[in-house]
Structure formats: structure tokens, C-alpha cells
Amino acid sequence: MSKPPVFFSLSDLFEFTCRRNPDALAYALVRDSLELESQLTYRQLERQVRSLAYRLAHEVKPGTRALLLYPPGLDVACAFWACVYAGLIPVPAPAPDPIRMKHSVPRLRNIIDDAQASLILTNSSIMALSSECSLPQNVGPITWMATDHLVADATDSISIDMPRLDSSALAYLQYTSGSTASPRGVVISHGNVLAHCKALTLAGQVEDSSRSLCWLPYFHDYGLLHGIIAPFYAGIPAYLMSPITFLRRPLRWLDAVDRFAITHSGGPNFSYDACLRAARQQPDWQADLSSWKVASCGAEPIHPDTVRRFIETFGPRGFKPASFSPAYGLAEATLLVTMKPVPVEPTFLTVDAEALADSIVKESVPSNRGTRTLVGCGEPLEETCVKIVNPTTLLECPSGVVGEVWLSGTGIASGYWKKQDETETTFKATLPESGEKLYLRTGDLGFLHRGELFLTGRLKDLIIVRGRNYYPHDLEWTAQQAHTGLRRGCGAAFSIESETGERVVLVHEIEKQVSDSDLTNMVNCIRRVLADEYELEIHTV
């Protein structure tokens, strides 16, 4: 693809991209039926964005944090770019769920309070819910604005006195999931996201003829970057699909890849696993997946069995083994850190499980007993440095030893919003041999092998029993294979303190209610498989 000029801000990017090829497709929303519900060319997008930005610039000051609360669709893309264009700070957040108000509203309130948001952009239906869920509405410093009823100005001559931003300016706040703590806003600068998009474009070999498809939610870093920002940077069509469409019918994702000749699309490990389960239930399902060049996989542990079975199952439908692209990333690094080079097939590395429990990487062969196979997450993106560091001594680990993954580079955020102590701890680590260079401590454990990153688990999740290390996601994955009555992806392994030290507990959902004898059999199957695989006694199931 043609090389883009150097940009200093996302607003520079927006102006350039919209005027480079104004009549080309920018965004399209795919219905459940695979029809296009709505679509925008760059010219139409620019008109809508400039009109909304003009309105915003007259309502609030530059630097205002604006919460984005939308259903899946093109409205959120327009709102994001309008905020950028008017110098506001967009804060993508999950819209309140009318069915799960008790769970979704407290998190939303936390984000509003933490971001000190004074503007909420949304549509009319969600705005009507605001009183129902006790969210602030036009009181105090917070203003609500429904953008779906705003009419774009008919002229192209709207003039906005935009703030001219440099690369260090705050572009948006990306809130982490908050599954184990209050949500934290990652401070993403214009320079972070532009450097990241450049690296993604190079690593994914994006061309002028490429096409992107994303069903992941816009408030997740994966969905925001892959769905809205990165395709726009590359100047390629971005097809958006509701996460609900995927969850109801996983193969709709692959149908859309076929229908729109998609080259770049991806999701977490569970999404590929869901497609495999759906394909088993629909043996006559057909599609042509030969256009799919990069099927990225990240955001959660990647299982070798899922990768191999997906390639084997969908190979006859045109899916190429080299298209499966394992990756590793986190919101604190804008999105991706490493990615498998294109077009190279995924790497599998079999290691001795007993040695790995002692943080030693000892290669083995799959036929040997007591082994564990890991999937390579690829090589570092351009301008990204990965170090493996002993989390106790804070010294770099020698080759062949598992340690904490530390990062530096142009895509690494500067810290957490208004959380100085956590920023110091997480984003400002140093190594003795690196001088003043700062590193991000990811909390993830792994090692480098022939230049490729392999992950083994999370530092905070690590279970230590009698001096041996066990990774919860390994135990959970092995346990769910023990019996067909166990619901896949719905288990949790953790430790409790006892008089004799740490003991392991495993909680797992079942597919349906069963008799006491069947339940006992399931429990015994779990205990047996974990004892055989890890020589580990489970305290409670």
C-alpha cells in the first residue's frame, strides 16, 4: 500500500484519509442477515464528523472527557472521530445493559467518576435509559447528548478552530476490564496510537486491497483499534458486526469473511473455539475463507488444540494455516506487543512440564509424558522491545528461564489516569543495564525462544504448591476436557490457604442438572485428569 505521510495527531490523520479517497467505503455495519444496514464513504463520514465536532466545539472546551455510550454501529465511530476533531478526549465505555443493570451500572458510574467526564455522547434509546439506571442526566457538570437525531450540515464549509495537537497530547482513555479491581483509564497519546497503527499495518502486511471485519465491542482495546482506528489509518474498508451476532451464531463471522472478501479479522481463543463447536453441529455448513490473510488471535491464553483444530476444520473451506496469527497485547501497550509474521505458520513448542513448574524451559517432544505444548505469540512489533525479567530480583533472566514480560517502545502508554502510585509501579520500572530507560511491567509470565514470545501465565494468578508453579488457565483447560458434561470455558482454578500451605480449588459449571452419582463421576474425572497430568491433588471441586 502507499506510504502515508507523517502525522502528529489523529486529527491530522482524519483530514488526510478523508480527502485522499473521498468516495471509497470507510465503514459499514453488517446485519445478522449479512446485508449492510448502513455504510459511510469517507466523504459522508467527514461531513457527519465535522458537523458533530462543530456542535461539540461550541458546547464544551478542548480536553473535556466525553463518554461514548453506544450500541454496535457507525454512530460510535462518528462520535469518536468528532471528539478527536474537536480536541475532546473520547472515553469508550459499555452502554448500560437493561437486563443486567445491577452489574453494568456500578462499573459505568466508576468510569464516569474516575474520568471526570462532563459530557456523555449516546443515542436516544440509551439516553432514555439513563434515568432508569440512575446515571447523571443534565445535572451538575454532566451533559448528555443524543447524536442520532442530529442532522449533519449540508455544506462542506463548516469551519472549526481546532486545537493543533502534538504527538504527546492525550488522544483517548482506554479503561481496563476492572475484573479484579476498579476500572483504570490507560492514558493513550496521539503518538502511541499512530505509532501502533503503523506497526500493525506493517506486521499485518495491509495493502490497499485489504478489508477489515470486527465484531468485538468498541470499548475494548481490541475492538477500538482493530474495528475503528487501524483500518482508518490504513485507508481500507472497515466492516463492523455486533458482538451479539457472533455470540448467537459464531459461524456468521466466517460467513461475513466470505461475503465481503475480508482479509483481516480476529478474536480471542474462545471465538475460534465457538466456531469449531458450531461447525460440529452444522456439518453441511460451507464458506470460502481463502481471502482471509490474517486471522489474529489474542486477548486471552491461546490453546494449541484450538489452533490446530481450526486449521484442520476450516482448511477444506479455503483457510490457510499461515493465516492463523497468534498475538499478545494489552491495553497498557495500546493493543498489540507481538504478532506472528505474515505469512508464517503458527509455532508450537513442547516443553517439559516439571521443568516449567520450576520456571525452566526444557524442550521435549509431544509423545513424551509430562509435557506441555505452548503456542508462540510472534515477534515484537516495530519499535517495541521485550525483556524477560525476574519479578523478585528485577534482573533480566538468562535465556531459557521464565520471567515477567517487560516492555518499552513507542506504543507503550504513559500511565493510568490520575493514579500516580500505580503508574510509578507499573510503567516506570528500570533495569540496571538500561540506564534511565523505562519499562512497563505487564504482570504476564513468559520467555523468548528464537525471537518469539511464549506466554506461560499471569504473575498474580500463579498457584504455588510445595514450591511448584501451576498456571490456573492450564488447570482449567485440562479439567474441562475431563467430562463432556462440563461447560467449556466456564471453570476457575485458584488457591486457598490451609494449615499445610496453599491448596487448589477448582470451580466448574456443568451443562445441565445431573444426578448426584453423575456429579460424583464428574468430580472424580476432574481429580483424576489433574493428578495424571500435573501430579496435583485438588483440595475441593
Side-chain angles (χ1 to χ4, degrees), residues 354-367:
E354 188 171 344
L356 193 66
D358 293 324
S359 299
I360 303 298
V361 181
K362 181 181 177 182
E363 287 192 65
S364 186
V365 293
S367 58

Side-chain angles (χ1 to χ4, degrees), residues 12-14 37 45 90 97 104 169 174 197 214 222-223 228 247 272 303 310 340 358-359 377 407 412 438 473 480 494:
D12 293 343
L13 168 68
F14 183 79
E37 181 173 327
L45 175 69
D97 185 343
S104 62
Q174 177 67 65
C197 286
C214 183
Y222 207 159
I228 294 175
L247 292 172
Y272 292 95
H303 296 284
F310 192 90
K340 180 189 70 63
D358 293 324
S359 299
C377 292
L407 310 171
I412 308 302
L438 300 179
H473 64 261
Q480 73 179 10
F494 53 92

Side-chain angles (χ1 to χ4, degrees), residues 463 470-480 493 504 506 530 534 536 538:
I463 298 172
Y470 299 93
Y471 299 99
H473 64 261
D474 285 343
L475 304 181
E476 293 155 9
W477 178 263
T478 303
Q480 73 179 10
V504 179
L506 188 125
L530 292 176
Y534 302 98
L536 180 65
I538 304 300

Side-chain angles (χ1 to χ4, degrees), residues 169-448:
L170 174 57
Y172 60 90
L173 291 179
Q174 177 67 65
Y175 274 83
T176 58
S177 62
S179 57
T180 58
S182 297
R184 295 173 297 185
V186 180
V187 176
I188 306 291
S189 71
H190 288 265
N192 289 149
V193 69
L194 289 170
H196 197 76
C197 286
K198 179 187 175 187
L200 282 179
T201 301
L202 290 172
Q205 294 188 6
V206 179
E207 301 171 330
D208 292 334
S209 59
S210 299
R211 292 168 161 231
S212 166
L213 169 68
C214 183
W215 54 265
L216 294 154
Y218 68 85
F219 51 83
H220 190 284
D221 54 333
Y222 207 159
L224 181 64
L225 261 295
H226 270 291
I228 294 175
I229 305 176
F232 190 90
Y233 176 91
I236 64 172
Y239 292 83
L240 303 176
M241 176 184 277
S242 169
I244 302 301
T245 297
F246 166 77
L247 292 172
R248 285 175 178 163
R249 301 176 68 183
L251 292 178
R252 263 294 180 251
W253 173 27
L254 309 194
D255 288 330
V257 169
D258 179 0
R259 171 72 66 88
F260 302 107
I262 299 299
T263 58
H264 292 70
S265 188
N269 187 91
F270 87 85
S271 60
Y272 292 95
D273 211 32
C275 289
L276 288 167
R277 293 198 302 274
R280 285 196 294 271
Q281 295 167 1
Q282 302 176 54
D284 296 332
W285 177 86
Q286 291 295 329
D288 179 3
L289 304 178
S290 58
S291 67
W292 206 351
K293 180 178 175 181
V294 177
S296 60
C297 181
E300 65 182 18
I302 304 169
H303 296 284
D305 187 46
T306 301
V307 179
R308 287 171 172 150
R309 286 189 296 118
F310 192 90
I311 291 171
E312 179 184 333
T313 299
F314 296 102
R317 278 92 164 181
F319 185 81
K320 297 175 284 294
S323 295
F324 205 106
S325 300
Y328 163 67
L330 64 166
E332 288 82 351
T334 306
L335 178 61
L336 287 190
V337 173
T338 63
M339 176 179 167
K340 180 189 70 63
V342 178
V344 177
E345 293 190 15
T347 304
F348 302 97
L349 181 68
T350 301
V351 298
D352 182 274
E354 188 171 344
L356 193 66
D358 293 324
S359 299
I360 303 298
V361 181
K362 181 181 177 182
E363 287 192 65
S364 186
V365 293
S367 58
N368 285 354
R369 184 176 174 82
T371 62
R372 179 180 167 194
T373 300
L374 305 170
V375 180
C377 292
E379 300 170 359
L381 298 185
E382 182 186 69
E383 298 184 15
T384 300
C385 173
V386 176
K387 297 283 189 181
I388 305 300
V389 180
N390 184 305
T392 304
T393 66
L394 305 186
L395 298 175
E396 191 168 355
C397 293
S399 177
V401 175
V402 174
E404 184 183 8
V405 180
W406 285 25
L407 310 171
S408 67
T410 52
I412 308 302
S414 60
Y416 295 119
W417 175 256
K418 303 294 184 185
K419 288 180 169 57
Q420 186 174 348
D421 290 345
E422 289 186 62
T423 294
E424 288 288 332
T425 302
T426 305
F427 289 85
K428 298 186 178 182
T430 57
L431 290 170
E433 65 273 22
S434 299
E436 299 298 312
K437 188 173 184 178
L438 300 179
Y439 289 90
L440 165 69
R441 297 190 62 171
T442 66
D444 291 311
L445 295 169
F447 60 92
L448 291 168

